Amino acid sequence: NFLLRVSYLTDYVYRGLDQSERLAALDETGVLNPTADVGAEDAPNLQFDGSIQLNLGRLPHPMAGVFVNVFNDDPVSRFQEIRPYFGLDWDLRPLRIQAGQISYIFPEREDLNTNEVWASVTFDDSRLWRTEKPLFSPYVYAAYDYDVYDGLYVEAGVRHEFEIEDTGITVTAVADIAYVMDNAQFADLNAPEPEDTGFQHYDVGLIGSVS
């Protein structure tokens, strides 16, 4: 199975961080530059995410891909982030288990390059509620940076799809909350005493799609 997603966004928000503006404020060594020109507010980000997954039936499905974010207003490198990844996806209903490895490459900011391993477990609650499709699909996601930060990121959330019959329109409600532990990349560099442990962000929202 092949997937190619191209996105054009006003903000590149990744795990609660406005990643494009955060990186644009760092110099080539990864140090905060107070005078850096981070670009206009809501400057566009062009993203490419291509992946391949081998469908092996009941066996774990190997997957691999690469994500690229292009931020034209970055004063150091327009190709702001390149993120190759690989892993396994195993559907053991009612549990779906995924795990893998992600590399973070920041051109012209090599000191920020890092790697992490991650895993997630999603519960198919359709059997619990005796419904045809999952109702909340609760999940837990954890990522451990074993390279530069030696820190942990943990996220838990739910999602529910509302399908409008005969229209091809689907509205998905999402909610999640995240906690970080000893992970300095989430610390506020502008704070007098940056903290790298604690609740990091929460999201509540709707996603609309048309097929």
Side-chain angles (χ1 to χ4, degrees), residues 194-206:
E195 297 183 4
D196 59 8
T197 298
F199 285 101
Q200 193 266 329
H201 82 270
Y202 66 89
D203 286 311
V204 178
L206 295 173

Side-chain angles (χ1 to χ4, degrees), residues 84-112:
Y85 55 89
F86 64 87
L88 296 172
D89 185 352
W90 200 4
D91 193 351
L92 294 171
R93 295 187 68 178
L95 297 179
R96 181 182 180 186
I97 301 174
Q98 297 174 294
Q101 199 268 351
I102 303 176
S103 296
Y104 297 87
I105 301 171
F106 304 100
E108 307 300 328
R109 294 185 176 93
E110 286 77 9
D111 290 346
L112 295 177

Side-chain angles (χ1 to χ4, degrees), residues 6-12 20 23 43-49 67-74 77-82 107:
V6 180
S7 305
Y8 197 59
L9 307 172
T10 58
D11 294 278
Y12 166 33
S20 52
L23 289 172
N45 295 261
L46 179 61
Q47 299 181 347
F48 302 88
D49 190 357
F67 168 89
V68 178
N69 185 65
V70 181
F71 187 53
N72 196 56
D73 285 15
D74 191 306
S77 174
R78 292 181 178 179
F79 280 84
Q80 198 178 51
E81 178 182 342
I82 303 173

